[in-house]
Amino acid sequence: LVALQLDAIGASAADIGRVLMTYFIAIALLGPLAPRLYERRLPASLVGFCGALLSAISLAVAATWPAYWAILFAVFGAGVGHALVRVPQVSMAMEISESRLRHIGTNAVLGSLRTLERAGSIVALVVLSLLASAMGYPFTIGVVSAWVFIGALVFAAAYFRRDQRRTSNII
């Protein structure tokens, strides 16, 4: 979607490649930050929520201002956000697999998580391509931003409440 939006605003193939690489550079450079935040006693849910919120805000910038620098910012921000989400996601999946889903097993839970991620990626590509062809690239980027924001809120409602119960039981 980013490559198509950049092409639509006249970016060269080299510019598109550079912008797309910032996503992977952000993940590679800032991915180790999430475990450090988590080790410092920040709840995994808070780190995950902040990462999702950063992704949603970054994408909203690109949706409202479809220019080269805004899209570069959005791609970098989404990369940082996804780097922050990744470790808490696996950590919480492991926690769930060792407690409520112990009867299924850790490998089955993690395998299911990865399968659902991949299936979601495929479905999202199809839905977003249909939406982009009907409504345009900025609108579709805005829909992705809204979807990530709503997901972050649902996630926060579920996990912050759980973390508060856990903290009150310790005290």
Side-chain angles (χ1 to χ4, degrees):
L1 187 58
V2 167
L4 294 171
Q5 175 61 41
L6 285 169
D7 182 63
I9 63 172
S12 70
D15 288 338
I16 293 170
R18 282 190 282 274
V19 169
L20 292 176
M21 284 305 299
T22 61
Y23 176 82
F24 300 104
I25 290 170
I27 288 177
L29 293 178
L30 299 171
L33 177 64
R36 289 189 181 152
L37 291 173
Y38 188 66
E39 288 172 358
R40 296 182 194 265
R41 303 283 183 219
L42 287 177
S45 57
L46 180 60
V47 175
F49 174 73
C50 289
L53 191 61
L54 176 62
S55 292
I57 291 168
S58 298
L59 292 170
V61 168
T64 57
W65 184 34
Y68 178 82
W69 292 105
I71 294 170
L72 177 65
F73 169 79
V75 169
F76 183 77
V80 172
H82 293 161
L84 292 175
V85 167
R86 190 67 167 167
V87 171
Q89 177 189 37
V90 172
S91 172
M92 287 182 280
M94 291 292 293
E95 182 181 310
I96 291 168
S97 71
E98 292 170 353
S99 59
R100 290 182 273 172
L101 298 177
R102 183 178 310 167
H103 62 283
I104 296 174
T106 303
N107 290 338
V109 170
L110 289 177
S112 297
L113 174 65
R114 297 294 177 233
T115 301
L116 288 171
E117 284 178 338
R118 288 180 178 101
S121 294
I122 293 167
V123 170
L125 285 173
V126 171
V127 170
L128 293 177
S129 66
L130 293 172
L131 187 60
S133 67
M135 302 301 288
Y137 304 129
F139 179 83
T140 305
I141 293 170
V143 167
V144 172
S145 173
W147 187 251
V148 171
F149 183 72
I150 290 167
L153 291 178
V154 169
F155 174 82
Y159 277 94
F160 286 161
R161 187 174 46 204
R162 182 202 69 164
D163 287 344
Q164 285 179 338
R165 281 191 306 237
R166 192 178 282 165
T167 304
S168 66
N169 290 340
I170 293 172
I171 298 174

